[in-house]
Amino acid sequence: MPSLADFYARVSPHVAHRPGAGLAARIHARVLSASGGRLGRRLLGADVLVMRTTGRRSGQVRESPAFFVAHGDAFAVVASNAASQRFPAWWLNLQANPDAEAFVQGSWRPVRARRADEQEAAELWPKLAAMYGGYDLYRSIATREMPVVLLEPRA
């Protein structure tokens, strides 16, 4: 019997840019941070963090939830956007300004984002796909790269 995560992975590429999809993500980010990490820290069996980035055009603070795996003292996320042709806005924002914050395990942490190199991405992909099987499906249907992004601690 397919899991809820499998169902979500099959459906999400078709609804990712429909009205309300961004609202659901923003609400999830708010609930997770407002509850101190008690609500919404896991979704579909995966750990969730909230990234706080600066809008590359607006300069406004943006908060986005993302599945993650720990990688040493960093956090690895995938810029999948449900296999959309467009990169997620948070990745475009981080490319313009890699300094951000991540809300993980009940606290905000200053981080600096960078794209994982080829070897790191190859090492991390199986862990990311095991955490959320939808990533393998997304990779098989995507028409663009889906970078693995490392959020590393900064002072």
Side-chain angles (χ1 to χ4, degrees), residues 111-122:
V111 294
R112 177 163 291 128
R114 70 173 176 86
R115 185 181 188 142
D117 66 32
E118 199 172 303
Q119 182 178 349
E120 290 167 324

Side-chain angles (χ1 to χ4, degrees), residues 1-12 42-46 67 129-135 137-138:
M1 184 163 133
S3 71
L4 183 57
D6 294 334
F7 174 76
Y8 178 79
R10 287 192 313 275
V11 170
S12 60
R42 291 190 53 81
L43 180 66
L44 303 173
F67 296 144
M131 176 226 7
Y132 175 60
Y135 286 143
L137 172 65
Y138 295 168

